[in-house]
Amino acid sequence: MTTLVIGAAGQIGRMIVSKLHERGEPVIAMLRKPDAELEALGVEIRFADLEQDFSHALAGCDQIIFTAGSGAKTGADKTILVDMWGAIKLVDAAKQAGVKQFVMVSSRGAEDPDNGPAAIKHYSVCKKIADDYLLASGVNYTILRPGRLLNEPATGGFSTTMPDTKDAQIITREDVADACIYCLQTSGTLNKIYPLVNGDQPLTESLI
Amino acid sequence: MTTLVIGAAGQIGRMIVSKLHERGEPVIAMLRKPDAELEALGVEIRFADLEQDFSHALAGCDQIIFTAGSGAKTGADKTILVDMWGAIKLVDAAKQAGVKQFVMVSSRGAEDPDNGPAAIKHYSVCKKIADDYLLASGVNYTILRPGRLLNEPATGGFSTTMPDTKDAQIITREDVADACIYCLQTSGTLNKIYPLVNGDQPLTESLI
């Protein structure tokens, strides 16, 4: 099973590509521009842009992990064009290509933007709409909605119960990367949506 | 049949409210803040905000015209929150309230954002997503996709063929207002999508 990673130049995407490659799993990194670190790994790279026609990048791919995001440095227009519209068109392309599983890295707040943090409500709306599009597409999905992302190393401990306290809604990027990979290998995660934070359960007990 | 106008303080919305009122049709203007001109007309006003809970505004309404927009002066975050998310939540509210027709003032370009003007692609995406949500809702809709809006008076002449030349893709706001009202009164416009520019046909021949 070949996995295409969208957002491979991002922090989580980079870890996913690297970890899959280390395990000997066929992995393809979709990139907008050359990336020495990923090229040095020796993984297959396909140049494509979510804002352009990227259908060529999906050829021969069985699984997709979407962890792309326009990031906090660009405006809300890019949130629309990349995080929402790019994801929607990727779902269409995945359906057309017969992709067997689409793992979406979503966000806390996407389940109910009106009751989430006001400062990022526009972002939560875009993520929700992309998630809903995937849900309705007929493509097998797994949607992860992590809390605030930390740069610490993997803890290996998870919980799918989002804590009420905002400060406790946290998870390391490496744990998210591990969770994405776990989803690909575990049919029980098909067509499920998981809030995800660090906690005290292993993946085998939390993503059920 | 009572009509609720969303975006009643806008240029098109204001004309719709005024014209419906002149004809003796029951009309309710949804407003975020007091508006001396609309209040002087003597129409019913309901204060509500598309970014908040506005469900109270729909009580007793049979028809809705959505002509709200965050406008060019605010950022793309407001395009997300008002033009797209506000419209989506209004569709939900209309469905719940049993509204019989929802006339959406959309925009040229919304049918295919990838092939429309790049400068407003993020806007076209948001309009398309709102339109698609209405289409799938089960609520009777009429979607108008006018060209570039002009402030000249009504011409009374229409075409539903969008010209290839961008400069010819124009229509006066008053003609759009008249088209919205015509849609409410004409069952043949139910569940139709019309590109709309000024042309040489009357409404009776163009919106069929």
Side-chain angles (χ1 to χ4, degrees):
Chain A
M1 297 281 267
T2 298
T3 304
L4 177 67
V5 179
I6 315 284
Q11 294 180 76
I12 293 173
R14 200 171 284 277
M15 285 189 270
I16 292 170
V17 171
S18 171
K19 283 169 183 268
L20 282 172
H21 184 65
E22 273 170 30
R23 294 175 189 220
E25 306 273 356
V27 58
I28 300 170
M30 186 172 122
L31 291 173
R32 277 185 300 162
K33 50 188 186 204
D35 184 298
E37 187 186 326
L38 289 173
E39 280 157 26
L41 281 182
V43 298
E44 183 178 347
I45 287 169
R46 290 188 186 161
F47 291 102
D49 185 339
L50 280 175
E51 292 191 65
Q52 308 294 333
D53 180 359
F54 51 78
S55 49
H56 59 281
L58 279 78
C61 296
D62 306 296
Q63 302 168 319
I64 286 179
I65 298 178
F66 181 93
T67 179
S70 58
K73 286 179 193 161
T74 54
D77 56 332
K78 289 293 182 189
T79 308
I80 295 168
L81 295 174
V82 177
D83 304 66
M84 183 175 69
W85 190 237
I88 284 174
K89 292 203 298 171
L90 184 65
V91 171
D92 286 342
K95 188 167 186 173
Q96 184 127 22
V99 163
K100 295 177 187 72
Q101 187 177 6
F102 190 125
V103 176
M104 175 77 91
V105 179
S106 182
S107 170
R108 65 172 170 174
E111 70 287 350
D112 184 7
D114 292 322
N115 292 308
I120 58 156
K121 184 174 169 184
H122 66 282
Y123 173 75
S124 302
V125 165
C126 286
K127 293 299 282 183
K128 176 185 171 48
I129 287 173
D131 289 358
D132 285 352
Y133 195 85
L134 174 57
L135 284 179
S137 69
V139 176
N140 283 323
Y141 62 83
T142 306
I143 296 174
L144 299 176
R145 291 187 173 148
R148 186 164 58 84
L149 301 168
L150 306 178
N151 281 331
E152 278 72 37
T155 67
F158 296 84
S159 168
T160 55
T161 304
M162 192 59 68
D164 291 334
T165 323
K166 222 184 216 176
D167 286 349
Q169 299 175 351
I170 51 175
I171 183 166
T172 76
R173 287 185 167 85
E174 190 176 359
D175 281 316
V176 175
D178 288 337
C180 287
I181 292 169
Y182 178 81
C183 290
L184 292 180
Q185 299 165 336
T186 314
S187 61
T189 66
L190 281 183
N191 303 323
K192 300 260 178 75
I193 302 176
Y194 300 104
L196 200 63
V197 290
N198 278 139
D200 53 14
Q201 289 181 311
L203 283 168
T204 50
E205 287 172 29
S206 50
L207 299 188
I208 52 174
Chain B
M1 296 280 267
T2 297
T3 304
L4 176 68
V5 179
I6 315 283
Q11 293 181 75
I12 293 173
R14 199 172 285 280
M15 285 189 268
I16 292 169
V17 171
S18 171
K19 282 169 184 271
L20 282 172
H21 185 64
E22 273 169 29
R23 293 174 190 221
E25 306 273 357
V27 57
I28 300 169
M30 187 172 122
L31 292 173
R32 276 184 303 161
K33 50 188 184 203
D35 184 299
E37 187 186 326
L38 289 173
E39 280 158 25
L41 282 182
V43 299
E44 182 177 347
I45 286 168
R46 290 188 186 161
F47 290 103
D49 185 339
L50 279 174
E51 292 191 62
Q52 308 295 332
D53 180 0
F54 51 78
S55 50
H56 59 282
L58 280 79
C61 296
D62 305 295
Q63 302 168 319
I64 286 179
I65 298 178
F66 181 94
T67 180
S70 57
K73 287 178 191 161
T74 55
D77 56 331
K78 289 292 181 188
T79 308
I80 296 168
L81 296 175
V82 176
D83 303 66
M84 182 175 69
W85 190 237
I88 284 174
K89 293 201 299 172
L90 183 65
V91 170
D92 286 341
K95 189 168 186 173
Q96 184 130 22
V99 163
K100 296 177 188 70
Q101 188 178 4
F102 189 123
V103 176
M104 174 77 90
V105 178
S106 181
S107 172
R108 66 173 169 171
E111 70 287 351
D112 185 6
D114 292 322
N115 292 307
I120 58 157
K121 184 174 170 185
H122 66 281
Y123 173 74
S124 301
V125 165
C126 286
K127 292 299 283 183
K128 178 185 170 47
I129 287 173
D131 289 358
D132 285 352
Y133 195 85
L134 174 57
L135 284 178
S137 69
V139 176
N140 283 323
Y141 61 83
T142 307
I143 297 175
L144 299 176
R145 290 186 174 150
R148 187 164 58 84
L149 300 169
L150 306 178
N151 281 331
E152 279 72 37
T155 68
F158 298 84
S159 168
T160 55
T161 304
M162 192 59 66
D164 291 334
T165 324
K166 221 184 217 175
D167 287 348
Q169 300 175 351
I170 51 176
I171 184 166
T172 76
R173 288 185 167 85
E174 191 176 359
D175 281 318
V176 175
D178 288 338
C180 288
I181 292 171
Y182 179 79
C183 291
L184 291 181
Q185 297 164 338
T186 314
S187 61
T189 67
L190 281 183
N191 303 324
K192 301 262 177 72
I193 302 177
Y194 300 104
L196 201 63
V197 289
N198 278 139
D200 53 15
Q201 289 180 311
L203 284 168
T204 49
E205 288 172 28
S206 51
L207 299 189
I208 52 174

